[in-house]
Amino acid sequence: MTAAASPPWVDGLTIGEMLRETARQSPDADALVFPQLDRRWSYAQLDADVDRVARGLLALGVDLGSHVAVWATNWPQWVLLQFATARIGAVLVTINPAYRAFELQYVLKQADIDTLFLLDKFRGSDYRAMLNEAAPELAGCDPQNVQLKDFPKLRHVIAIQGEPTVGMSSWESFLKGADAVSDTELSQRESHLNHADAINIQYTSGTTGFPKGATLTHRNLLLNAYYIGQCQQLTAADRICIPVPFYHCFGCVLGVLGAAVRGAAMIIPAEHFDAEATLAAIATERATSIYGVPTMFIAQLDHPTRSTLDFSSLRTGIMAGSPCPIEVMQRVVDDLGAREITIAYGLTEASPVITQTRTDDPLELRVKTVGRPLPDVEVKIVDPATGEELGDEQQGELCARGHLVMLGYYQMPDATAAAIDDDGWLHSGDLAVRLPNGYYRITGRIKDMVCRGGENIYPREIEEFLYTHPAVGDVAVVGVPDAKYVEELAVWIRLKPDATLTEQDVQQFCRSSLAHYKVPRYVKFVTEFPQTVTGKIQKFKIRETMIAELGLDESETA
């Protein structure tokens, strides 16, 4: 464990209090910049707009601890709602914008959503149509009094863009409601908040086949945001380019909160990752820090406009989500100028960062390790079978303890007990070794997980969905190496007698109800699976077979 040099100024504060203090210290500094929308907020303006949105939530009757969900790409309303929910003590539930109706239905019910804010459309996703598919009763509801049999907690649905459809309110009418709530009422609500309160539920795919809602506190998030900024040596003079999604901890914690605790600017290139927009935003807004997973950096490095732009302002940033090849890291340093880029490792359940490299670490350490623990975080390596703590250079499960550990999974006590032991250690499910210098290297996974382009996917979730197809008798999903996404999904399917399916049928079935990154790239129909003597499918043999048949390179993934 690395001890903090001095107590972080945010420790003991709520997220709302943190924003007020940053706005007091840097009122005129850029807080939030959307170049493509030609909009920007100073910290004073952001704080004032957050107050208005917070009063709008109070006007809806959103109580302490109520669950408010946002289902959208990276829009200004997302940031306003993140701070506003925290300011009134509501729990922000982040919904992946790639979710389909099947997944939305699950989250709305499992998370006890009280209020839902949603986008209208993005690319091939029609969010309103999917909501109506998940909750067809909504079309007959009064927007001021939503009552749905399958979702008894849901009372309000607000469209953050365009004219609302039946059963929904508009963003503009929502904001008008703020006029009925005084600043005094808002202050009274704020006085009841505590930094240890639950404030965010982030969904992560579950080994049980269903996503689990990691419940995080003000303190969890603020200390993580503070320390990841410290590892980058961020100050109020920095400008962070954030092309990663807000729904994920990378965007809303390391990005939004990481900037706010330092008084740095948040630069949002586009509503979804776009290499050209990201490069343009770095250059025109003079970004000093850039975030992303390796595939994002590769797309920027290979984009034809890169050589025409000036990246001399860029200094640092965070790369996370997947192992980074040394050639890519070298190009990020040489071609983008991010000479002090850092590598971070963690889990949603850990708020999310556990270990991080520092700006002055040699390049080799930033490629071959995931750094050392954040200050005041304990990390140990244990034998997965016995729980015995292991020494340096011994492979075992990485466990963490400290301010970053979630409260637990929402309404999943058994899953919580499996993840956090009686001594408060969070078990990552990842295999790692500790080097003699105190840095950690991730070596594999205990959990049956696939990491595709920075998205963690648990095959069991996809398998259970495929079992709902009437033609599927048995199924096994594995990850296989991929040059672009590090890993891709492959599925073996044994059909029921006399049933027929094509590869395209399987992919379309998944595409209709699952996020795009969960759609298997490879589909193979088989009559039997490799099994142990007890009948357990040997997925490692499936993976080996697919690698051989497809001529894939095993070295492309960890």
Side-chain angles (χ1 to χ4, degrees), residues 39 122 442 548:
R39 295 190 65 183
F122 174 69
I442 304 301

Side-chain angles (χ1 to χ4, degrees), residues 78-96:
W78 214 112
V79 179
L80 295 173
L81 285 164
Q82 179 181 357
F83 284 115
T85 50
R87 185 155 280 175
I88 68 166
V91 177
L92 176 71
V93 181
T94 63
I95 302 180
N96 189 331

Side-chain angles (χ1 to χ4, degrees), residues 457-474:
I457 308 167
Y458 287 92
R460 181 68 180 274
E461 180 183 356
I462 301 165
E463 290 165 355
E464 292 204 1
F465 176 72
L466 285 170
Y467 277 125
T468 67
H469 194 291
V472 173
D474 208 354

Side-chain angles (χ1 to χ4, degrees), residues 195-246:
H195 69 279
D197 292 340
I199 207 64
N200 187 204
I201 292 178
Q202 295 258 346
Y203 272 87
T204 180
S205 292
T207 53
T208 59
F210 295 101
K212 297 175 291 187
T215 305
L216 305 166
T217 68
H218 293 276
R219 188 170 191 263
N220 285 151
L221 302 181
L222 285 178
L223 288 181
N224 217 271
Y226 178 89
Y227 286 127
I228 62 93
Q230 185 178 81
C231 290
Q232 296 175 81
Q233 297 187 353
L234 295 181
T235 70
D238 279 291
R239 301 173 68 79
I240 307 172
C241 185
I242 309 171
V244 293
F246 290 152

Side-chain angles (χ1 to χ4, degrees), residues 214-442:
T215 305
L216 305 166
T217 68
H218 293 276
R219 188 170 191 263
N220 285 151
L221 302 181
L222 285 178
L223 288 181
N224 217 271
Y226 178 89
Y227 286 127
I228 62 93
Q230 185 178 81
C231 290
Q232 296 175 81
Q233 297 187 353
L234 295 181
T235 70
D238 279 291
R239 301 173 68 79
I240 307 172
C241 185
I242 309 171
V244 293
F246 290 152
Y247 82 85
H248 191 278
C249 278
F250 204 168
C252 69
V253 181
L254 310 191
V256 174
L257 297 182
V261 299
R262 300 283 164 179
M266 310 165 221
I267 301 165
I268 318 302
E271 65 171 308
H272 188 270
F273 174 68
D274 178 286
E276 184 173 4
T278 302
L279 291 169
I282 294 170
T284 59
E285 291 294 335
R286 310 306 296 153
T288 60
S289 175
I290 174 66
Y291 290 177
V293 299
T295 50
M296 290 181 174
F297 284 99
I298 291 168
Q300 292 170 70
L301 290 165
D302 292 343
H303 199 277
T305 64
R306 177 186 56 77
S307 61
T308 68
L309 298 170
D310 176 10
F311 304 117
S312 58
S313 61
L314 206 54
R315 173 183 65 83
T316 186
I318 298 176
M319 189 184 299
S322 299
C324 177
I326 191 165
E327 296 82 5
V328 174
M329 179 63 84
Q330 191 67 60
R331 289 187 66 195
V332 169
V333 171
D334 294 342
D335 298 344
L336 290 182
R339 59 195 178 279
E340 297 178 0
I341 190 96
T342 66
I343 294 289
Y345 159 78
L347 317 166
T348 302
E349 295 87 338
S351 308
V353 173
I354 298 172
T355 63
Q356 189 173 351
T357 61
R358 274 48 170 185
T359 55
D360 56 356
D361 283 336
L363 193 65
E364 184 177 3
L365 274 180
R366 287 185 270 164
V367 173
K368 294 187 176 180
T369 80
V370 292
R372 48 195 166 95
L374 296 186
D376 293 332
V377 170
E378 297 176 84
V379 176
K380 68 177 181 179
I381 304 295
V382 303
D383 185 312
T386 66
E388 176 187 0
E389 187 168 352
L390 303 175
D392 290 347
E393 305 284 8
Q394 291 183 285
Q395 179 177 268
E397 183 181 17
L398 186 146
C399 299
R401 183 168 68 178
H403 53 74
L404 44 58
V405 177
M406 66 173 179
L407 291 179
Y409 296 118
Y410 184 67
Q411 291 191 335
M412 290 186 173
D414 291 344
T416 300
I420 305 172
D421 65 28
D422 292 341
D423 294 321
W425 288 98
L426 173 66
H427 289 249
S428 70
D430 289 326
L431 295 171
V433 296
R434 183 179 61 247
L435 305 180
N437 61 5
Y439 283 67
Y440 288 79
R441 184 164 59 88
I442 304 301

Side-chain angles (χ1 to χ4, degrees), residues 104-113 150-152 410-411:
L104 173 67
Q105 190 174 49
Y106 169 78
V107 171
L108 287 176
K109 186 175 293 184
Q110 203 279 331
D112 292 326
I113 303 301
D150 290 337
F151 310 104
Y410 184 67
Q411 291 191 335

